[in-house]
Amino acid sequence: MSVTTLTPTHPDELNELFGQTGFIRFEEGPGGLPVACLKNGHAETMVSIYGGHVLSYLPDGEEPVLWVSEKAQYETGKAIRGGIPIIWPWFGASKRYPKNPSHGFARKLTWDVHSARLIDNTVPQLHLDLQDNDITHSLWPHSFRLELVITLSDKLDIELRAINLCKNPFDYTAALHSYFNVSDIKHVSVLGLERRSYLDQLDNMERKIQEGPITFTSETDNIFYDTRDTCRLIDTGFGREIVIEKHGSTSTVVWNPWIDKSKRMSDFGDEEYHNMVCIETANAGPDVITLNPGGHYELCTSISTKPL
Ligand code: BG6
């Protein structure tokens, strides 16, 4: 089954249609996949049109904010390990369609470029769309449009809007599955989830309470629920904090695969777990979104950094 996109995917054609000199250009990225490069006076970000996937966020003079595996595979049909995969319309295993691949299909399809523009002459903004098609219908029987808007100001803002184009309501779960680059997992802590409840995915979804700041000493895979709070990833090795604000989300997933799981993943280096942690702005676990016909819902995150 193949799907053609509504807009071109060749960088030259995309530059002709949407390029904004100095601020937004399209290029051939890793694996030959087309990418959009957004740049302003503060930072650069690279977005793969395949997957609607943010691959990098580089504030000037800083270590990369996002982590991507050296073993990441840049091939259509495969998920890219790192950056910010778009998880939609199910987080983890699909409850209704258990044979479907985990984390939905949005990260494994090529999106359409809807627009690329400048706001206030300095803030580049990229808007991608994904519409239901033969592949999505073979996995999930609903009509929808996803709109992904990525804005680079002194922060990186990502908004994922889901629109129900069916005659019936549908349910979905989702995540902006952000992989952050850290100096060493042993030198980081996560603030913002103290005294919050979570489902421990490594302990049969047992409900537990996070007492203090999160630190990492073993595999961690927790879905925090009933939380709208900003998370702060404190990295004493890099001397910075990454601030992860969110809207439209009452769940946050915190994941590090540690040693054994890293070894089991073919697109993840055995030792790479030292330098990453996922803090995912999500609609996951009990945070299921029901969209009525014609309805829409936005899941948003703003990522910024501060020196410690
Ligand atoms: C996290 C899940 O969001 O994603 C983990 O909580 C999962 O359970 C991880 O292992 C990676 O998933 P995938 O499908 O990209 O290998």
Side-chain angles (χ1 to χ4, degrees), residues 81 91 102-103 107 177 179 201 221 253 255 261 280:
R81 178 69 65 197
F91 178 89
S102 94
H103 282 345
R107 62 177 176 165
H177 191 314
Y179 287 79
Q201 301 215 82
D221 194 352
V253 180
W255 180 58
K261 182 150 183 175
E280 307 169 35

Side-chain angles (χ1 to χ4, degrees), residues 2 28 32 44 57 110 112 117 132 147 169 187 247 253 308:
S2 73
E28 205 173 89
E44 282 182 51
Y57 173 38
T110 300
D112 285 307
R117 62 184 189 125
D132 59 293
E147 299 179 355
H187 297 154
H247 300 283
V253 180
L308 284 182

Side-chain angles (χ1 to χ4, degrees), residues 155 157-158 176 192-193 196 224-231 243-253 279-284 287 298-303:
K155 299 176 173 182
D157 287 299
I158 302 173
L176 305 171
L193 295 167
R196 294 285 176 204
F224 287 83
Y225 57 93
D226 286 343
T227 172
R228 295 172 197 277
D229 293 330
T230 295
C231 283
V243 182
I244 306 139
E245 297 166 83
K246 62 177 191 161
H247 300 283
S249 157
T250 60
S251 47
T252 297
V253 180
I279 301 175
E280 307 169 35
T281 292
N283 300 123
D287 180 14
E298 289 81 27
L299 174 65
C300 310
T301 188
S302 278
I303 298 170

